[in-house]
Amino acid sequence: MIRLSVDPDKMDLRPELFDFHGVSMTHYFTDNWENVQKFQARPDDILIATYPKAGTTWVSYMLDLLYFGQTSPERQTSIPIYDRVPFLEIMLPSMATGKDQADNLPTSPRLIKTHFPVQFVPQSFWEQNCKIIYVARNAKDNMVSYFHFDRMNDVQPRPGDWISYIHRFKEGKMAFGSWYDHVGNWWKKKKTYSNLHYMFYEDLTEDTGREIDKLCSFLGLSPSVEEKQRVMGGVQFDNMKKNSMANYSTLPVMDFKISPFMRKGKVGDWKDHFTVAQNEEFDEHYRKMMKDPTLQFRTEI
Ligand code: PPS
């Protein structure tokens, strides 16, 4: 495992956003583009795709426990989740690239994470008919979570103040582009690619057990009652928050003094961030942007 050897206090690692094939991106996610596009997926690879901050780590850990919780108990205490489930497109200084990490995963299946919009996913995933799990989260909570993440993560663009952040989010000027395009285009993909399971953060919060059942049925897994209980316990927010292998506390580019990675884990935290006027404006914009009535999000449960 290779870890960052530069001292984040001494270097400004904060990237700028730029337009990349029509999507706002930072160079950490495009520098390895050619290699990533050539990634050779295997038929049993499982891709976990999300817009950033939608519940990637939650579902990654769920899958890791479902597949390897019993067979490899030592994995649970020694390998951080970001090494078990590599982030395909990431390329940071002095670290193994996500693509190399994915290539070298010893597990079967290999669990792989991406934040790519659907059109950026390497061709081999489609050719191999890989199972893909997409997790989506309502725009307001997603944005709040992303704002705090951009504050604490030295390899994310500077967030600026909250008001300008709302504006940028609406415009899609965020790493990985527009939330609207991301959730909408992945949703559309579901209509033509049947090996795609589209999940919602809000459903997971409402009834984790029910969502695990649906996930298992998609994956063709049938865990015992005890196994399912163990997975449910492991992925519970408070347990993940104190689990150093799941809470990102071992990654030096994140400053937990500013904000923890496992922050609130709630539906509806946006209410503590939006003013009434900001909320009304946001709702008006949202109505214009969300064209497909079959894709519905809940902002409270
Ligand atoms: S990343 O950086 O894009 O991979 O982040 P991601 O994991 O997608 O999203 C982080 C947010 O998910 C919350 N989270 C959870 N919520 C509920 N239960 C569990 N187990 C859980 N695990 C992660 C995490 O707290 C972040 O949301 P916020 O709202 O910031 O707390």
Side-chain angles (χ1 to χ4, degrees), residues 212-232:
I212 290 179
D213 287 344
K214 286 199 221 161
L215 191 56
C216 286
S217 139
F218 171 69
L219 296 168
L221 297 176
S222 24
S224 65
V225 175
E226 296 77 40
E227 234 177 297
K228 185 180 156 192
Q229 286 302 327
R230 200 175 36 77
V231 175
M232 279 177 68

Side-chain angles (χ1 to χ4, degrees), residues 50-58 113 115 137 141 145 149 201 205 235-237 240 248 261-266 269:
T50 62
Y51 191 73
K53 315 317 291 179
T56 332
T57 316
W58 195 359
K113 151 183 168 174
H115 289 317
R137 186 178 192 181
D141 284 326
S145 182
F149 187 67
Y201 182 98
T205 308
V235 303
Q236 209 247 328
F237 181 77
M240 279 184 66
Y248 275 84
F261 182 89
M262 303 285 298
R263 201 181 52 87
K264 296 255 182 86
K266 275 181 25 182
D269 185 40

Side-chain angles (χ1 to χ4, degrees), residues 79-223:
I79 310 177
I81 191 67
Y82 49 79
D83 286 330
R84 294 183 214 175
V85 184
F87 184 1
L88 184 63
E89 57 270 27
I90 200 164
M91 187 173 195
L92 289 176
S94 314
M95 284 177 84
T97 66
K99 196 263 182 187
D100 284 347
Q101 277 193 303
D103 277 337
N104 295 323
L105 274 180
T107 57
S108 178
R110 301 186 297 188
L111 306 175
I112 300 167
K113 151 183 168 174
T114 185
H115 289 317
F116 271 161
V118 68
Q119 70 275 22
F120 284 4
V121 170
Q123 203 51 35
S124 64
F125 284 100
W126 311 116
E127 288 164 0
Q128 298 292 337
N129 197 31
C130 295
K131 287 197 166 62
I132 303 183
I133 294 156
Y134 186 79
V135 193
R137 186 178 192 181
N138 81 74
K140 292 178 192 176
D141 284 326
N142 205 144
M143 180 186 2
V144 167
S145 182
Y146 211 170
F147 176 66
H148 291 292
F149 187 67
D150 284 355
R151 290 172 54 235
M152 60 82 96
N153 188 333
D154 282 328
V155 292
Q156 282 290 112
R158 283 181 207 294
D161 62 26
W162 171 241
I163 294 174
S164 63
Y165 201 82
I166 300 181
H167 185 68
R168 272 181 44 215
F169 185 91
K170 285 183 189 162
E171 300 279 300
K173 299 279 186 282
M174 321 284 296
F176 296 100
S178 156
W179 175 91
Y180 301 95
D181 291 347
H182 209 284
V183 299
N185 289 333
W186 273 101
W187 181 255
K188 248 190 247 152
K189 188 74 184 179
K190 200 168 80 78
K191 294 179 184 145
T192 55
Y193 186 78
S194 59
N195 248 354
L196 173 56
H197 182 64
Y198 200 106
M199 304 177 77
F200 294 91
Y201 182 98
E202 294 72 29
D203 293 348
L204 270 167
T205 308
E206 183 178 67
D207 192 338
T208 310
R210 178 191 65 205
E211 296 307 309
I212 290 179
D213 287 344
K214 286 199 221 161
L215 191 56
C216 286
S217 139
F218 171 69
L219 296 168
L221 297 176
S222 24

Side-chain angles (χ1 to χ4, degrees), residues 65-76:
L65 285 176
L66 282 167
Y67 280 103
F68 311 116
Q70 283 202 312
T71 50
S72 320
E74 73 291 347
R75 178 181 173 85
Q76 301 308 323

